Amino acid sequence: MIIKGNSYILVFSVLVLLTIVLVSTTPLIIKTLLAFITIAFGFPVIRKLLFKDKFRKIKVAFYSSLTFTIGLFLVSIFEEPSFNLDGDFFQIIIIVLFYSLIGNFLYGLPVSLIAEFISMKFFIIRFWLSGLIHIGFGLATYFIDPGGFFIFAIICSIIFFALDEITKVYSTSY
């Protein structure tokens, strides 16, 4: 499993992350999710899926967070043209980027791996099934937080799916 060869850095990183997660004041459901994701990195199959095609899935998670943040920034410019570019505004942008990175890495990546695993078995409808899974899990966040933030999760899931499909096409053409 996790301990073979010279994987001591990975083992140490996983143990540090698990310790931080377990002693934090984060709600129990999020602690459990973070612990499962951290332990999942110990399995070579999951690492192989994440790191194939030159870290394609990890890049997609980062690019979708960046795209979402830039899009939100542009919408806020056009929605209120007389806003100030003060420090508070940039702090809000950094916070949006931070939370979208957390969401895409902790929720979007596993969903994308699940979608890819399931949709590869149905080659004819792979694209549609993968899109349905991505957007469906984005919609499922409504049950976690029905207060309105689920709309941002749906937008992020659409961006994640689109960028994943685009990078998939370009990575197979080279």
Side-chain angles (χ1 to χ4, degrees), residues 66-140:
L66 209 55
T67 303
F68 174 75
T69 305
I70 291 170
L72 201 61
F73 171 72
L74 292 175
V75 166
S76 67
I77 286 176
F78 293 121
E79 203 169 273
E80 182 156 344
S82 64
F83 71 94
N84 295 334
L85 290 175
D86 58 354
D88 291 339
F89 182 75
F90 285 115
Q91 285 178 344
I92 292 170
I93 293 296
I94 295 299
I95 290 170
V96 167
L97 178 62
F98 177 72
Y99 280 111
S100 64
L101 281 169
I102 288 174
N104 279 322
F105 275 93
L106 296 182
Y107 192 70
L109 267 176
V111 167
S112 185
L113 291 173
I114 291 168
E116 188 168 327
F117 179 75
I118 292 172
S119 66
M120 289 312 246
K121 297 178 191 270
F122 303 97
F123 186 73
I124 296 171
I125 58 169
R126 186 203 63 76
F127 177 82
W128 299 107
L129 185 60
S130 179
L132 182 69
I133 292 170
H134 278 87
I135 295 168
F137 272 92
L139 283 168

Side-chain angles (χ1 to χ4, degrees), residues 6-172:
N6 57 359
S7 62
Y8 300 113
I9 293 174
L10 178 64
V11 171
F12 180 72
S13 301
V14 167
L15 289 176
V16 167
L17 186 60
L18 278 175
T19 304
I20 291 171
V21 166
L22 293 175
V23 299
S24 71
T25 59
T26 309
L28 183 62
I29 190 164
I30 295 178
K31 279 185 179 183
T32 307
L33 177 67
L34 289 171
F36 278 129
I37 291 170
T38 304
I39 292 169
F41 275 105
F43 295 98
V45 173
I46 294 174
R47 284 197 311 263
K48 182 180 175 187
L49 285 173
L50 279 176
F51 301 145
K52 76 178 185 180
D53 295 333
K54 298 179 182 176
F55 302 97
R56 182 177 61 85
K57 291 276 188 194
I58 294 172
K59 289 178 186 176
V60 166
F62 177 73
Y63 292 148
S64 59
S65 296
L66 209 55
T67 303
F68 174 75
T69 305
I70 291 170
L72 201 61
F73 171 72
L74 292 175
V75 166
S76 67
I77 286 176
F78 293 121
E79 203 169 273
E80 182 156 344
S82 64
F83 71 94
N84 295 334
L85 290 175
D86 58 354
D88 291 339
F89 182 75
F90 285 115
Q91 285 178 344
I92 292 170
I93 293 296
I94 295 299
I95 290 170
V96 167
L97 178 62
F98 177 72
Y99 280 111
S100 64
L101 281 169
I102 288 174
N104 279 322
F105 275 93
L106 296 182
Y107 192 70
L109 267 176
V111 167
S112 185
L113 291 173
I114 291 168
E116 188 168 327
F117 179 75
I118 292 172
S119 66
M120 289 312 246
K121 297 178 191 270
F122 303 97
F123 186 73
I124 296 171
I125 58 169
R126 186 203 63 76
F127 177 82
W128 299 107
L129 185 60
S130 179
L132 182 69
I133 292 170
H134 278 87
I135 295 168
F137 272 92
L139 283 168
T141 59
Y142 173 79
F143 299 108
I144 296 170
D145 180 27
F149 286 109
F150 74 96
I151 300 219
F152 297 126
I154 294 168
I155 293 168
C156 280
S157 67
I158 292 169
I159 293 170
F160 197 109
F161 168 68
L163 289 176
D164 191 29
E165 289 299 318
I166 290 168
T167 58
K168 191 179 294 180
V169 167
Y170 284 114
S171 69
T172 58

